[in-house]
Amino acid sequence: MSQPEPSVGRIVHYVSYGTPGGEYPSVCRAAVITEVPDHLTAEPFDGCPNGTEGQWIAGLAVLNPEGFFFNRDAQHSEEQRGGTWHWPERV
Ligand SMILES: [Zn+2]
């Protein structure tokens, strides 16, 4: 199944980091893509064009209930690990 390419202004989900003891679980938050860098910044594809082998990074404005925060070079992962973003579930 192919994924859409990220572009500025699209809404995705950002996965918050939960606390190790589980007091706060890791949850999905709404995030707006603020930038799509030209190149990847982490191994194994550091310096390769963004999107190489389906690896995407994006800048995000994350909309937490308590406030915004901004994150650059966040990695895409459909596995929903903390600190990554994914496409919202299709309905
Ligand atoms: Zn989600």
Side-chain angles (χ1 to χ4, degrees), residues 4-87:
E5 294 190 4
S7 58
V8 168
R10 293 195 72 164
I11 303 224
V12 297
H13 283 188
Y14 172 82
V15 183
S16 69
Y17 289 101
T19 49
E23 296 92 338
Y24 293 96
S26 179
V27 295
C28 288
R29 298 298 190 202
V32 179
I33 296 178
T34 56
E35 65 178 351
V36 181
D38 289 335
H39 297 97
L40 295 167
T41 56
E43 296 301 338
F45 300 113
D46 191 13
C48 293
N50 203 358
T52 297
E53 304 275 331
Q55 302 291 308
W56 287 101
I57 58 172
L60 302 176
V62 180
L63 313 180
N64 286 297
E66 306 84 3
F68 285 108
F69 84 92
F70 299 92
N71 191 328
R72 301 185 81 177
D73 300 344
Q75 285 193 315
H76 171 256
S77 169
E78 292 295 323
E79 293 169 17
Q80 306 194 7
R81 286 179 281 110
T84 67
W85 63 272
H86 55 270
W87 295 105

